């Protein structure tokens, strides 16, 4: 509904943010600070919920082993002290180690084997030319891209290793085309968010229905 | 002292990586149960890390206010909004009217607009930096334009063949390039894991 | 020739001119909309079909893993998914996953869905909101663990602090074995979900994500790890078209066409200037 009070306040704040694109001003700085404060308040509330529900209530219910987790978590606060910041390394070791291991144990299957299997299971020769060329692109692009990505350091050598150089160059072109397509998608992503905000402001002030 | 300060954390890091990965592949029930318990506790530890940034920022802002540095009045506004939101969320619950109002009418519009500013900057970047300098640059440019025309409904209206061309670019070059990137990324993470397991890397990222 | 270049040239330090042009064109595209038909992509159709074809009585884990910055891109998909799930007779567990704002975003979207906040049925019986959990994949792995990860990883409480023993819907939900479908709105690509839900436990996955993460999502769809996907606001508009309830996304994409043409125009103008500059350097007129 046009000119609704809540939406008018929100639209004014949106205009305040967009003003930074033209000139730095005090209104933008004010809106920015308020936004940071609110976001951090939400973060603290969320952290409080997890610490209380997962870290304190189980202790009160008799699960005393959780005290160890709470102490390890509190050790992170030692990062603010220059002499005792090394205490936080124990907690960081557990966090980094567990997170990395959880990622890695399925990354091989999800990222490496999944990708290679998807390409290998595609027949190279199909009953139409476009299909064959496309599948050939997928096969050659993957191999050449990996050759360029993983094995080329310090630029493609100008002399020697002709087959490697050809694959490396094809890989470079494959990745360039990928970056172009990726940029095209990025433009869509960024522009739609801006479009939504502009349409919100226009609807709030009754310029569009 | 460096044994306690740096070597034992490395042992802990290495052990947790090895045990977690082995428990997944070997399927030994007591090992899996132990890893599950540690997993639950790591979530609590990560929750303790969330206030770290807040404490740092609040400390800096208080120093700015005490020394009356530039824009110190705005830092007060930040602290006030932080305090109000935290008090409302913790003591009055996440369904509190004012808490929800601040989120819906301040955080969402401003957060969305901050993200939307990148839409302006990307257009400026496209004008400044996309140049037909060499073959690689031309390939990047042409594929970007094809996808932009394909994404916009008007592309198909102005130039109907853009639909199958764009579909082809979406199905083959995009997926192929992404597979290359992600296989390289996965290999990089696995090598990082191996470096941690063999104590070749500190937790803070410096190599030994 | 040089007169033409002078006419179309944008001054080098005047990025503000570009910003102003973009905003003006956007305003124009909304006040004079070009209404063009939207073609529904195969991935959006697969997203829709997977939800529609799910038998009744199943348990769906619906994640709202996006924040205020992605409201414009994914708000439409979130509300459209809720509208679609209203037509199903399934149990719905709504989780913010590791988004600190997720719980608030869930409340916002529930209020904006057709039929209002409680349109999904009776709270605690047909649907529930789970609490936030930090750590991304660490949290997802903890949730899926046997025997009771769905309870212990979340402190045995829902988002509002109610004990899970008092929520009948959670009586039959303990671990990965009890989840029949994962729908993730947001979530920084589909990689986290594939690694922690798809690969270890074979849970079917649907993802709606921003266009920046579309490359990763498309790769997983082609690999067969993800069943269907929504691409940013365009995919959200396609989903709204499929369910027959136009929303935020449909109104947003009305301005997309002119805006993309303008950016292509900027690229072309920039290159004309560049190529003309090179031509002049080589002694041309």
């Amino acid at each position: 509904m046009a000119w609704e009070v809540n939406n008018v306040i929100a639209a004014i704040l949106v205009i305040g943010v967009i003003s930074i694109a033209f000139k730095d001003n005090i209104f933008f700085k004010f809106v920015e600070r308020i936004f940071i404060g609110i976001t951090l308040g939400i973060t603290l509330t969320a952290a409080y919920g997890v610490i209380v529900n997962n870290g304190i209530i189980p202790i009160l219910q008799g699960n005393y082993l959780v005290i160890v987790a709470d102490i390890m978590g509190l050790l992170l606060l030692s990062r603010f002290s220059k002499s005792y910041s090394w205490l936080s390394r124990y907690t960081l070791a557990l966090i980094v180690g567990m997170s990395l291991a959880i990622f890695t144990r399925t990354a091989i299957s999800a990222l490496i084997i999944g990708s290679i299997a998807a390409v290998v299971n595609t027949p190279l020769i199909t009953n139409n030319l476009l299909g064959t060329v496309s599948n050939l692109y997928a096969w050659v692009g993957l191999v050449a891209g990996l050759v360029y990505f993983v094995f080329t350091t310090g630029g493609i050598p100008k002399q020697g290793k002709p087959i490697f150089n050809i694959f490396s160059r094809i890989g470079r072109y494959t990745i360039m085309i990928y970056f172009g397509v990726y940029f095209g998608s990025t433009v869509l992503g960024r522009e739609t968010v801006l479009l939504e905000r502009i349409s919100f402001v226009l609807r709030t002030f009754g310029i569009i229905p | 002292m460096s044994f306690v300060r740096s070597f034992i954390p490395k042992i802990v890091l290495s052990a947790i990586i090895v045990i977690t990965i082995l428990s997944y592949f070997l399927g030994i029930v007591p090992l899996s149960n132990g890893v599950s318990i540690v997993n639950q506790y790591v979530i609590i530890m990560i929750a303790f890390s969330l206030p770290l940034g807040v404490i740092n920022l609040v400390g800096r802002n208080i120093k700015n206010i005490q020394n009356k540095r530039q824009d110190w009045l705005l830092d007060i506004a930040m602290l006030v909004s932080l305090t109000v939101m935290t008090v409302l969320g913790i003591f009055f619950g996440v369904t509190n009217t004012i808490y929800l109002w601040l989120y819906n009418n301040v955080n969402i519009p401003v957060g969305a607009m901050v993200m939307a500013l990148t839409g302006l900057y990307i257009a400026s970047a496209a004008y400044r930096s996309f140049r037909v300098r060499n073959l690689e640059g031309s390939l990047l440019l042409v594929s970007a334009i094809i996808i932009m025309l394909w994404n916009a409904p008007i592309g198909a209206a102005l130039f109907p063949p853009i639909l199958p061309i764009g579909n082809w670019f979406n199905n083959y070059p995009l997926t192929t390039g992404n597979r290359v990137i992600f296989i390289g990324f996965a290999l990089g993470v696995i090598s990082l894991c191996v470096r941690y397991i063999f104590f070749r890397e500190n937790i803070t990222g410096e190599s030994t | 020739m040089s007169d033409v270049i002078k006419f179309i040239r944008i001054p080098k330090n005047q990025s503000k001119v570009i910003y102003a042009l973009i905003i003006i064109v956007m305003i124009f595209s909304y006040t004079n909309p070009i209404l063009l038909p939207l073609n529904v992509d195969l991935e959006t159709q697969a997203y829709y079909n997977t939800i529609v074809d799910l038998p009744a009585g199943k348990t769906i884990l619906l994640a709202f893993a996006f924040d205020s910055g992605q409201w414009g891109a994914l708000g439409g998909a979130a509300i459209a998914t809720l509208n679609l799930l209203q037509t199903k007779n399934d149990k719905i567990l709504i989780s913010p996953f590791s988004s600190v704002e997720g719980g608030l975003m869930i409340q916002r979207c529930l209020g904006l869905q057709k039929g209002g906040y409680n349109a999904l049925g009776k709270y605690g019986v047909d649907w529930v909101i789970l609490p936030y959990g930090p750590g991304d994949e660490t949290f997802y792995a903890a949730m899926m663990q046997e025997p009771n990860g769905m309870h212990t990883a979340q402190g045995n409480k829902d988002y509002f602090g109610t004990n899970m023993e008092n929520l009948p819907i959670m009586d039959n939900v303990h671990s990965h074995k009890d989840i029949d479908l994962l729908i993730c709105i947001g979530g920084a690509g589909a990689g986290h979900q594939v690694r922690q839900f798809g690969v270890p436990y074979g849970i079917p996955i649907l993802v709606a994500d921003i266009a920046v993460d579309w490359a990763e999502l498309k790769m997983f769809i082609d690999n067969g790890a993800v069943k269907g996907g929504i691409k940013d606001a365009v995919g959200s508009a396609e989903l709204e078209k499929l369910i027959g309830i136009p929303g935020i996304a449909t109104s947003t994409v009305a301005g997309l066409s002119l805006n993309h043409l303008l950016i292509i125009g900027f690229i072309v103008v920039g290159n004309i200037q560049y190529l003309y500059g090179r031509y002049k350097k080589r002694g041309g007129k």
Side-chain angles (χ1 to χ4, degrees):
Chain A
M1 203 162 65
W3 294 100
E4 198 188 317
V5 174
N6 293 337
N7 287 345
V8 169
I9 294 170
I12 291 169
L13 293 173
V14 166
I15 292 169
V17 175
I18 212 170
S19 64
I20 189 61
F22 298 95
K23 193 175 168 129
D24 198 5
N25 58 83
I26 195 95
F27 184 47
F28 167 75
K29 287 182 189 174
F30 174 71
V31 172
E32 177 198 42
R33 296 297 204 279
I34 299 288
F35 171 66
I36 292 170
I38 289 175
T39 306
L40 293 178
I42 294 170
T43 306
L44 283 179
T45 308
Y48 170 82
V50 177
I51 291 168
V52 166
N53 289 337
N54 293 35
I56 294 176
I57 290 178
I59 298 172
L60 301 173
Q61 288 170 344
N63 182 2
Y64 298 113
L65 208 54
V66 176
I67 295 174
V68 174
D70 290 337
I71 294 169
M72 297 294 288
L74 285 168
L75 283 180
L76 280 172
L77 296 172
S78 69
R79 288 198 73 76
F80 293 113
S81 157
K82 279 193 180 133
S83 342
Y84 295 104
S85 63
W86 60 271
L87 284 167
S88 63
R89 287 187 198 157
Y90 289 93
T91 316
L92 286 173
L94 280 171
I95 293 173
V96 170
M98 178 63 76
S99 305
L100 202 56
I102 285 173
F103 174 93
T104 309
R105 66 188 187 182
T106 45
I108 301 168
S109 186
L111 296 177
I112 301 175
I113 296 177
S115 295
I116 294 172
V119 173
V120 165
N121 286 333
T122 327
L124 195 56
I125 312 291
T126 61
N127 50 13
N128 67 69
L129 181 64
L130 180 62
T132 305
V133 168
S134 306
N135 292 342
L136 190 69
Y137 182 97
W139 279 74
V140 173
L142 181 65
V143 173
L146 282 172
V147 165
Y148 174 70
F149 217 55
V150 180
F151 298 111
T152 309
T153 52
I156 300 168
K158 288 195 172 19
Q159 290 170 340
K161 303 182 192 168
I163 306 246
F164 173 86
N165 283 355
I166 291 169
F167 263 93
S168 202
R169 203 158 280 281
I170 293 172
R172 192 179 160 101
Y173 297 151
T174 310
I175 294 194
M176 280 296 140
I177 296 172
Y178 161 73
F179 282 142
V181 178
Y182 186 84
F183 176 80
S185 291
T186 305
V187 166
L188 171 71
R190 300 300 179 207
E191 295 305 315
T192 49
V193 187
L194 182 58
L195 280 163
E196 192 273 330
R197 286 292 91 197
I198 299 287
S199 70
F200 167 76
V201 171
L202 294 174
R203 259 184 279 114
T204 300
F205 293 121
I207 299 169
I208 57 171
Chain B
M1 281 305 261
S2 71
F3 179 81
V4 172
R5 289 188 186 203
S6 60
F7 195 66
I8 294 184
K10 283 188 193 177
I11 295 175
V12 169
L13 178 61
S14 174
I16 201 81
I17 292 174
V18 170
I19 293 170
T20 306
I21 293 177
L22 281 179
S23 74
Y24 177 74
F25 288 106
L26 296 179
I28 301 170
V29 174
L31 196 65
S32 298
N33 289 343
V35 168
S36 301
I37 293 169
V38 176
N39 194 357
Q40 307 280 348
Y41 293 171
V42 165
I43 292 172
I44 301 168
M45 293 176 216
I46 296 173
F48 274 97
S49 74
L50 291 172
L52 284 182
V54 181
I55 294 169
N56 198 12
L57 191 67
V58 167
R60 275 190 202 208
N61 278 341
I62 290 173
K63 271 191 197 158
N64 283 349
I65 293 164
Q66 280 174 339
N67 298 330
K68 289 199 167 47
R69 290 214 189 113
Q70 193 187 16
D71 298 330
W72 66 275
L73 284 168
L74 296 172
D75 291 335
I76 293 178
M78 198 214 82
L79 290 177
V80 166
S81 62
L82 166 63
T83 311
V84 163
M85 207 63 182
T86 310
V87 164
L88 284 173
I90 291 175
F91 296 106
F92 295 91
V94 291
T95 52
N96 177 263
T97 316
I98 303 172
Y99 189 77
L100 286 172
W101 188 93
L102 282 170
Y103 179 71
N104 284 319
N105 296 295
V106 179
N107 193 289
I108 290 224
V110 174
M113 191 60 231
V114 167
M115 184 62 87
L117 284 176
T118 54
L120 295 175
Y121 302 147
I122 211 170
S124 174
Y127 168 69
R128 288 167 196 282
S129 57
F130 268 92
R131 296 288 182 258
V132 184
R133 283 197 185 94
N134 47 31
L135 179 59
E136 287 100 346
S138 310
L139 286 171
L140 195 146
L141 186 72
V142 168
S143 45
I145 290 177
I146 288 171
I147 289 298
M148 279 193 269
L149 275 175
W150 176 67
N151 278 330
I154 204 166
L158 288 174
F159 182 59
I162 200 69
L163 271 181
I165 296 171
N167 278 332
W168 187 86
F169 271 84
N170 187 43
N171 288 328
Y172 290 95
L174 184 68
T175 316
T176 304
N178 212 57
R179 284 183 180 134
V180 169
I181 304 279
F182 271 82
I183 290 174
F185 168 60
L187 290 173
V189 173
I190 292 165
S191 73
L192 181 66
C193 255
V194 170
R195 288 180 70 83
Y196 276 135
I197 290 170
F198 291 108
F199 310 136
R200 300 294 293 172
E201 198 94 30
N202 285 329
I203 293 165
T204 47
E206 301 126 9
S207 299
T208 53
Chain C
M1 181 66 169
S2 58
D3 294 332
V4 174
I5 301 298
K6 278 181 195 160
F7 180 73
I8 62 173
R9 185 177 72 94
I10 296 172
K12 262 193 183 156
N13 296 329
Q14 299 298 330
S15 46
K16 292 169 192 177
V17 171
I18 295 174
Y19 303 153
L21 270 172
I22 290 174
I23 294 170
I24 290 166
V25 167
M26 282 186 180
I27 294 171
F28 179 81
S29 65
Y30 280 117
T31 51
N32 301 281
I34 304 170
L35 296 168
L36 291 162
L38 207 57
N39 296 312
V40 177
D41 283 340
L42 290 172
E43 293 85 14
T44 311
Q45 189 68 56
Y47 182 101
Y48 174 81
N49 290 344
T50 306
I51 296 175
V52 165
D53 294 342
L54 190 72
K58 296 292 180 181
T59 305
I60 299 174
L61 179 58
L62 171 61
F64 277 51
F66 66 107
D67 57 23
S68 54
Q70 288 137 12
W71 170 253
L74 297 174
I79 296 168
T81 305
L82 284 171
N83 287 336
L84 182 56
L85 289 173
Q86 284 178 28
T87 63
K88 307 278 303 167
N89 198 12
D90 297 310
K91 306 286 179 200
I92 300 163
L93 315 169
I94 311 179
S95 173
F97 271 9
S98 292
S99 167
V100 285
E101 295 177 28
L104 294 163
M105 188 59 78
I106 291 167
Q107 293 187 75
R108 178 183 173 88
C109 292
L110 286 169
L112 289 171
Q113 67 177 333
K114 183 182 163 191
Y117 194 90
N118 287 309
L120 288 172
K122 189 163 190 276
Y123 185 81
V125 175
D126 301 311
W127 64 287
V128 72
I129 304 178
L130 300 173
Y132 157 81
D136 278 323
E137 294 189 45
T138 314
F139 176 62
Y140 310 158
M143 268 207 294
M144 293 290 104
Q145 279 159 2
E146 294 183 67
N148 207 17
M150 283 295 289
H151 289 235
T152 53
Q154 297 173 117
N156 288 304
K157 289 190 196 298
D158 75 347
Y159 179 68
F160 303 108
T162 311
N163 277 329
M164 281 187 177
E165 295 123 22
N166 300 333
L167 298 166
I169 189 175
M170 295 305 291
D171 288 345
N172 298 318
V173 178
H174 299 284
S175 69
H176 61 91
K177 290 179 180 168
D178 307 307
I179 306 296
D180 299 302
L181 176 66
L182 167 67
I183 305 173
C184 190
I185 319 272
H192 306 296
Q193 295 79 359
V194 169
R195 283 188 293 273
Q196 303 310 324
F197 296 94
V199 165
Y201 308 115
I203 296 172
I205 302 170
L206 298 174
V207 177
D209 216 335
I210 56 175
V212 174
D213 294 322
W214 174 250
E216 187 183 351
L217 176 52
K218 183 76 171 88
M219 179 187 79
F220 283 120
I221 292 173
D222 283 359
N223 289 358
V226 173
K227 298 279 176 238
I230 301 282
K231 178 183 180 182
D232 211 279
V234 175
S236 307
E238 291 166 11
L239 184 64
E240 287 172 357
K241 181 180 171 181
L242 284 171
I243 64 172
I245 305 174
I248 304 163
T250 305
S251 57
T252 300
V253 298
L256 200 60
S257 298
L258 282 180
N259 186 258
H260 270 56
L261 285 180
L262 179 67
I263 293 177
I264 293 171
F266 284 144
I267 294 173
V268 169
V269 164
N271 275 289
I272 291 173
Q273 269 182 256
Y274 167 73
L275 290 170
Y276 182 68
R278 261 179 46 171
Y279 171 72
K280 282 278 278 184
K281 254 190 202 171
R282 287 176 192 171
K285 285 183 190 171

